[in-house]
Amino acid sequence: MTNRWVLFVPLAIMGLLFGAFIYRLVTPAETLIQSQWIDKPMPLFDLPPATAGVAGLKSSQLADGKPRLVNVFASWCIPCRAEAPQLEALKAAGVPIDGIAIRDRPEDVAMFLREYGNPFDRIGSDMQSSVQIALGSSGVPETFLIDGKGVIREQIQGVILAEQVPEIVAKLEAMK
């Protein structure tokens, strides 16, 4: 009689494992990867122009006293195309925007800008994704709010939505 309960131990262990499995399915882990550069100066870089007619981008240019956005994008990125109208709206609201083109050819960047508009003051070409990786950027599009001293204050992962535009403008105004 005392050995009968031993027969149920494997069943109990299986039940606990099954319960743990179900728990992880219904409560997924955090999927956003936050940059470790928040509240730190932009990492040092000097990127050549991504296409003709647009200046390249240096990290030292981001500490000019004006808060701004740095948008990490690519011409081959479908969500970047969806984000283009919001970047144009931010530019129209007076927000300075610099871009970092990831693994992109100059002719493709030029075609992207012709088709979707050019909200950027400068666009650096990051052919090896070294600056993207240094920033802790996990993909494109991704946008960083930079204060006038060149310090990263916030990271927006994914497409900027139309309803976020006024909030972004207000945050940058508050940094002045």
Side-chain angles (χ1 to χ4, degrees), residues 8 36 41 57 96 102 122 136 148 159-160 168 173:
F8 291 102
Q36 298 302 307
L57 182 62
I102 304 300
R122 300 172 285 242
V159 174
I160 294 173
I168 292 169
E173 283 294 321

Side-chain angles (χ1 to χ4, degrees):
M1 188 74 161
T2 58
N3 290 340
R4 283 189 109 177
W5 68 272
V6 175
L7 296 174
F8 291 102
V9 169
L11 183 61
I13 292 172
M14 289 297 287
L16 286 172
L17 287 173
F18 183 73
F21 176 74
I22 294 298
Y23 173 76
R24 290 304 297 160
L25 280 177
V26 297
T27 56
E30 179 64 44
T31 58
L32 293 178
I33 301 170
Q34 289 294 319
S35 173
Q36 298 302 307
W37 287 91
I38 304 298
D39 293 328
K40 295 179 183 167
M42 190 69 122
L44 297 176
F45 63 84
D46 184 356
L47 296 173
T51 191
V54 181
L57 182 62
K58 297 178 186 179
S59 55
S60 61
Q61 295 169 315
L62 304 175
D64 64 356
K66 298 176 191 168
R68 65 183 57 251
L69 297 180
V70 173
N71 181 256
V72 180
F73 76 102
S75 67
W76 44 263
C77 163
I78 303 301
C80 296
R81 297 171 186 189
E83 182 179 61
Q86 286 71 253
L87 293 178
E88 288 289 343
L90 286 161
K91 178 182 178 179
V95 173
I97 306 172
D98 291 314
I100 298 176
I102 304 300
R103 297 184 310 273
D104 230 331
R105 298 181 314 180
E107 57 273 17
D108 293 336
V109 172
M111 187 173 11
F112 179 87
L113 298 176
R114 275 194 307 275
E115 191 169 340
Y116 298 101
N118 183 5
F120 304 107
D121 296 334
R122 300 172 285 242
I123 306 173
S125 175
D126 190 9
M127 290 300 288
Q128 304 302 317
S129 298
S130 57
V131 175
Q132 180 188 26
I133 291 167
L135 282 170
S137 169
S138 60
V140 289
E142 210 160 312
T143 305
F144 295 88
L145 281 71
I146 313 296
D147 71 12
K149 297 176 184 173
V151 175
I152 300 170
R153 294 299 177 188
E154 190 173 327
Q155 174 185 22
I156 302 169
Q157 295 179 334
V159 174
I160 294 173
L161 304 173
E163 55 267 19
Q164 291 176 291
V165 170
E167 178 186 340
I168 292 169
V169 171
K171 285 179 180 181
L172 290 170
E173 283 294 321
M175 289 183 201
K176 288 185 178 176

